[in-house]
């Protein structure tokens, strides 16, 4: 027996390895591929999302994409997209709606390699096609206005572009027309609507004709003061504080003069239109949809507005106390002044008045009032079932958010345009005034006042989150609405 050149043991007794069959090789490859997907995911973590993924769940899903090659004048397309995004932000749109609109429009006009970055006051678009010089443009939004009609018309313009029936030149012309077009309602009608809303809402809270008349006059005066301060370019914080002071001080002084009118119920009806409902809903929507910077900026702006309202009420209460006004019983409850059917009529009128102050489209007024009525009946039913002051408005807000998306998309408008006016009746204006009065005058009950403010804040956040939740719940039910709109466009 010949010695082995090395000292390795003999392997003659071990079983010999058999070659793998083709089926076994395929199984091993599939197993490795599955393990790699579990560990790494389908795409690298920094890979851009496809257009289908980025528009999923939006009204512009599955857009008609331009297939004739990339537009040679890409700069003009990006300029148009930025101008459109600025207009949407000025009119109150959320960050997700602005982003999906930009992506859908640029894709429909031939630009596929688009990245969008949105913050609280700026929109940036980066266009980086392969083997070409990238283009990056930035637009800053410096002003805001109440113009839900303009927001709805921009939404309709985006729908038409995505449907493939509008080119860039016509889109630019239509956007300029939307921006230059006068708002649907004149200023005198908006001023009247402020007073009408406060009057009818005071009636819903239990105030009589005298309280409603006082709310009507004081809120018309508040609107005129706010308009004049705006002409003087006074910061919004001080405008809001001055309006809250004025409506509170007028109510306290009339009570001091002997008028049998409960000031708290008048103030509650007066400050509801000062609450930044649309901004709060947009901020909650941005936070939920993954825009933390934009949400943080809007939250800060919302908190400052609430602070201005509280400061104005506090100063008015202190001045009234120094003037010798009669102390207010903030625990006083008010019996219903009208039957349920009468309250329903008042709610419908109030929602229409809110729509006028927000400058919504005329065709949306009655549908918005119907959504608000349904929300009010849900609130009434939840309260009678004993669900509490915090859960009942949240449940009603979910229903309003769901119905608002269905109604708005069917009428060619974004959900926010219908949801915000319909949900304003859910906000706790009476709780805010009562809590602020306790904190300012009855210093011994600081804990009671602080608890009331926290409770009011929880209701406001619950309403905003409920609207966003209802919007998301309605998405599976509204998939066909956008396609129906596109079919109508193609027939023209």
């Amino acid at each position: 027996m010949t010695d082995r050149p090395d000292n390795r043991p003999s392997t003659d007794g071990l079983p010999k390895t058999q070659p793998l069959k083709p089926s076994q090789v395929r199984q091993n490859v599939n197993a490795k591929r599955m393990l790699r997907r579990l560990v790494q995911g389908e795409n690298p973590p920094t890979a851009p999302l496809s257009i289908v993924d980025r528009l999923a769940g939006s009204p512009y899903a599955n857009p008609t994409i331009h297939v004739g090659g990339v537009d040679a004048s890409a700069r003009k397309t990006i300029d148009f997209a930025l101008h459109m995004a600025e207009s949407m932000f000025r009119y109150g749109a959320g960050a997700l709606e602005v982003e999906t609109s930009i992506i859908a429009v640029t894709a429909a006009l031939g630009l596929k390699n688009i990245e969008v970055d949105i913050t609280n006051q700026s929109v940036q678009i980066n266009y980086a096609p392969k083997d070409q010089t990238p283009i990056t443009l930035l637009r800053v939004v410096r002003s805001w206005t109440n113009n839900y009609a303009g927001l709805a018309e921009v939404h309709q313009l985006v729908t038409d572009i995505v449907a493939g029936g509008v080119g860039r030149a016509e889109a630019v012309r239509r956007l300029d027309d939307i921006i230059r077009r006068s708002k649907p309602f004149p200023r005198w009608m908006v001023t009247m609507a402020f007073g009408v809303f406060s009057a009818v809402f005071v009636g819903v809270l239990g105030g009589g004709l005298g309280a409603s008349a006082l709310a009507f006059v004081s809120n018309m005066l508040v609107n005129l003061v706010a308009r004049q301060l705006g002409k003087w370019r006074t910061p919004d914080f001080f405008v809001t504080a001055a309006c809250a002071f004025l409506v509170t001080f007028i109510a306290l002084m009339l009570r001091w003069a002997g008028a049998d009118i409960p000031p708290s119920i008048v103030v509650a009806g007066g400050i509801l239109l000062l609450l930044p409902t649309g901004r709060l809903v947009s901020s909650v929507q941005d936070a939920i949809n993954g825009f933390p910077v934009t949400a943080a900026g809007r939250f800060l702006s919302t908190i400052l507005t609430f602070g201005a309202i509280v400061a104005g009420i506090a100063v008015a209460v202190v001045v009234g106390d120094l003037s010798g006004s009669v102390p207010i019983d903030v625990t006083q409850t008010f019996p219903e002044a009208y039957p349920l059917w009468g309250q329903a009529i008042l709610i419908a009128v109030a929602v229409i008045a809110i729509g006028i102050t927000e400058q919504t489209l005329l065709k949306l007024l009655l549908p918005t009032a119907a959504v608000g009525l349904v929300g009010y009946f849900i609130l009434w039913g939840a309260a009678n079932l004993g669900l509490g002051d915090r859960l009942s408005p949240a449940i009603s807000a979910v229903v309003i958010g769901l119905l608002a998306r269905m109604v708005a998309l069917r009428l060619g408008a974004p959900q926010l345009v219908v949801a915000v006016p319909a949900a304003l009746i859910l906000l706790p204006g009476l709780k805010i005034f009562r809590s602020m009065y306790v904190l300012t005058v009855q210093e011994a009950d600081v804990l009671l006042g602080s608890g009331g403010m926290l409770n009011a804040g929880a209701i406001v956040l619950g309403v905003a989150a409920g609207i966003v939740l209802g919007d998301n719940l309605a998405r599976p039910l509204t998939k066909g609405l956008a396609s129906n709109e596109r079919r109508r466009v193609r027939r023209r």
Side-chain angles (χ1 to χ4, degrees):
M1 182 175 180
T2 306
D3 294 336
R4 296 176 62 87
D6 52 9
N7 295 325
R8 289 179 297 176
S10 175
T11 60
D12 293 340
L14 296 176
K16 294 183 179 181
T17 303
Q18 299 295 328
L20 295 176
K21 297 178 180 180
S23 60
Q24 293 175 319
V25 173
R26 288 194 297 270
Q27 290 175 358
N28 288 343
V29 171
N30 292 334
K32 290 179 180 179
R33 186 180 296 116
M34 182 176 296
L35 180 60
R36 189 182 300 113
R37 289 178 179 177
L38 290 174
V39 175
Q40 295 181 346
E42 292 288 346
N43 295 317
T46 57
L49 293 173
S50 66
I51 292 176
V52 174
D53 292 334
R54 296 166 81 179
L55 297 181
S58 74
Y60 318 119
N62 303 317
T64 300
I65 299 176
H66 182 68
V67 295
V70 176
D71 193 343
S73 56
R75 170 65 187 266
K76 294 181 180 179
T77 300
I78 298 176
D79 281 335
F80 166 73
L82 281 174
H83 196 192
M84 178 195 70
E86 179 191 13
S87 301
M88 294 179 71
F89 258 129
R90 288 188 69 243
Y91 299 156
L96 180 64
E97 183 180 357
V98 175
E99 183 188 60
T100 53
S101 298
I102 292 174
I103 295 170
V105 165
T106 52
L109 296 179
L111 304 184
K112 299 179 182 178
N113 301 283
I114 289 289
E115 288 292 336
V116 182
D117 183 28
I118 297 177
T119 61
N120 183 40
Q121 286 185 297
S122 65
V123 182
Q124 179 175 298
I125 298 179
N126 179 52
Y127 173 57
K130 188 176 182 180
D131 300 328
Q132 295 185 32
T133 302
I135 301 175
T136 300
L137 298 179
L138 175 71
R139 186 67 62 91
V140 178
V141 184
R142 292 185 172 88
S143 62
W144 288 265
T145 182
N146 293 338
N147 192 355
Y148 279 177
L151 181 59
E153 290 171 346
V154 174
H155 174 90
Q156 186 61 54
L157 173 60
V158 175
T159 302
D160 294 345
I161 295 173
V162 171
V166 177
R168 189 186 62 212
E170 184 182 354
V172 172
R173 179 188 59 79
R174 284 180 56 178
L175 181 62
D176 290 339
D177 290 342
I178 292 172
I179 295 173
R180 289 195 298 262
R181 189 174 300 140
S182 300
K183 295 180 179 179
F185 305 103
R187 290 182 176 180
W188 66 266
M189 187 175 294
V190 173
T191 302
M192 292 286 292
F194 264 89
V196 169
F197 168 78
S198 300
V200 298
F201 193 76
V202 165
V204 172
L205 292 178
L209 292 178
S212 294
L214 174 59
F216 177 79
V217 174
S218 62
N219 277 272
M220 288 182 60
L221 179 61
V222 162
N223 181 255
L224 294 175
V225 170
R227 187 177 300 168
Q228 185 60 47
L229 292 177
K231 292 180 180 179
W232 294 342
R233 297 189 179 277
T234 306
D236 290 340
F237 179 89
F238 298 110
V239 173
T240 304
C243 293
F245 168 84
L246 189 60
V247 69
T248 306
F249 186 72
I250 291 174
L252 291 176
M253 288 298 98
L254 284 179
R255 178 64 179 269
W256 174 76
D260 188 19
I261 297 174
S264 56
I265 204 170
V266 175
V267 176
I271 67 174
L272 276 186
L273 285 175
L274 301 177
L275 296 174
T277 314
R279 202 179 313 158
L280 180 62
V281 172
S282 295
S283 61
V284 173
Q285 191 175 37
D286 292 343
I288 292 175
N289 292 326
F291 296 89
V293 176
T294 307
R298 287 183 167 176
F299 268 127
L300 179 59
S301 176
T302 301
I303 291 173
L304 285 176
T305 303
F306 274 105
I309 294 173
V310 170
I313 294 174
V315 173
V317 169
V318 170
V319 173
D321 187 56
L322 293 176
S323 302
S325 62
V326 180
I328 301 174
D329 181 14
V330 294
T331 62
Q332 180 183 2
T333 58
F334 306 98
E336 295 179 352
Y338 305 95
L340 183 61
W341 63 267
Q343 295 181 28
I345 295 175
L346 294 178
I347 288 293
V349 174
V351 174
I352 292 175
I354 299 168
I356 293 175
T357 62
E358 296 290 352
Q359 294 287 356
T360 192
L361 289 172
L362 183 62
K363 67 178 183 179
L364 290 174
L365 288 179
L366 290 180
T368 303
V371 173
L373 270 177
V374 174
Y376 176 73
F377 285 125
I378 295 295
L379 175 68
W380 176 81
N384 286 336
L385 290 175
L387 297 182
D389 295 338
R390 283 174 287 188
L391 185 58
S392 297
I395 294 174
S396 177
V398 172
V399 177
I400 288 176
L402 188 148
L403 294 177
R405 181 178 177 90
M406 299 175 66
V407 170
L409 291 184
R410 188 172 295 277
L411 295 176
Q415 184 249 15
L416 189 75
V417 171
V418 175
V420 170
L424 192 64
I425 57 175
L426 305 177
L427 299 182
L430 193 57
K431 289 183 181 295
I432 293 175
F433 173 76
R434 284 172 171 170
S435 304
M436 195 61 250
Y437 186 86
V438 171
L439 284 173
T440 307
V441 177
Q442 302 175 4
E443 298 180 359
D445 296 328
V446 173
L447 292 178
L448 180 61
S450 301
M453 288 299 294
L454 289 175
N455 189 27
I459 294 174
V460 172
L461 287 176
V463 169
I467 292 174
V468 177
L469 177 59
D471 179 55
N472 283 270
L473 292 176
R475 288 187 178 184
L477 305 176
T478 55
K479 286 183 178 180
L481 295 182
S483 60
N484 291 338
E485 183 62 35
R486 290 178 194 143
R487 284 196 291 270
R488 288 197 297 269
V489 172
R490 292 192 185 102
R491 294 194 192 107
R492 295 171 185 171

